[in-house]
Amino acid sequence: PLLRSHCDKCHSGPDPSGGLRVTPHASLLSGGDTGPAVAPRDPAHSVLVTRIRAPLDDGDHMPPEGEAQLSTDDIALIVAWIESGASESDALETAKLPAAAVRALAAQPREDAGPARTAEHALAQSAPRSGGCAACMVAERRAAPSAGPWLAGMVGASLLLRRATSKRLDGRPSSLRSG
């Protein structure tokens, strides 16, 4: 998902930039005009890592200037994925990942969640889980309780309390008060 969100614009379709497609997975391994983009277990010899770590003003830097850039955590996740073998699956053993890579994983939208990812979903995804192998990336089928009704109730209650308190302060409804 991370590569698709940052690279698909230029590296997909019938005529991808540099001859490289990020999907399917085999395309990353076979590479483009400059050879394989990913050398499993060897990030130092992976063109992808070289390009994303290049300075922004370097013509080889990816994504190009003007496009959404990868964060340091995102780069750590890509390097960890390559170090672990660059598997086609999204599964990574989170217990062995550096903290930056875990943060990047927690920030990634789940494939089954669509673009509208909620704050409570992100919080639930970052909570510790058993399993030890990218449990945060495995699609869950149970529904998480929603904070929406609770939050709406709290906002409504605070507005009512504010209105009641403001009426007691000067005896006039808040709509008649100035400033």
Side-chain angles (χ1 to χ4, degrees):
L2 180 62
L3 293 178
R4 282 192 299 275
S5 68
H6 284 274
C7 309
D8 246 10
K9 180 177 178 181
C10 299
H11 296 286
S12 64
D15 188 25
S17 181
L20 174 67
R21 285 187 180 81
V22 292
T23 57
H25 179 261
S27 296
L28 282 172
L29 301 178
S30 63
D33 299 344
T34 59
V38 173
R41 303 202 187 286
D42 192 3
H45 290 100
S46 293
V47 173
L48 173 65
V49 174
T50 303
R51 297 278 176 104
I52 63 177
R53 284 185 169 165
L56 186 59
D57 61 354
D58 184 323
D60 286 338
H61 175 82
M62 290 292 140
E65 193 171 2
E67 297 296 327
Q69 297 299 306
L70 294 161
S71 70
T72 304
D73 290 351
D74 293 337
I75 294 170
L77 177 58
I78 291 168
V79 169
W81 171 68
I82 292 171
E83 285 174 340
S84 72
S87 167
E88 185 172 2
S89 77
D90 288 341
L92 285 174
E93 191 172 341
T94 55
K96 294 181 181 178
L97 292 177
V102 173
R103 284 191 303 269
L105 269 176
Q108 293 304 307
R110 288 183 3 190
E111 292 289 306
D112 64 337
R117 198 169 157 202
T118 64
E120 69 240 19
H121 172 77
L123 181 60
Q125 289 302 98
S126 64
R129 297 190 181 165
S130 62
C133 59
C136 61
M137 294 301 287
V138 176
E140 289 183 327
R141 297 297 172 220
R142 64 179 181 186
S146 174
W150 177 85
L151 184 59
M154 292 302 292
V155 169
S158 67
L159 290 174
L160 289 174
L161 182 60
R162 182 175 177 204
R163 177 174 269 174
T165 304
S166 65
K167 283 182 182 179
R168 282 187 298 190
L169 292 177
D170 68 3
R172 292 183 295 160
S174 60
S175 61
L176 298 178
R177 241 184 263 126
S178 63

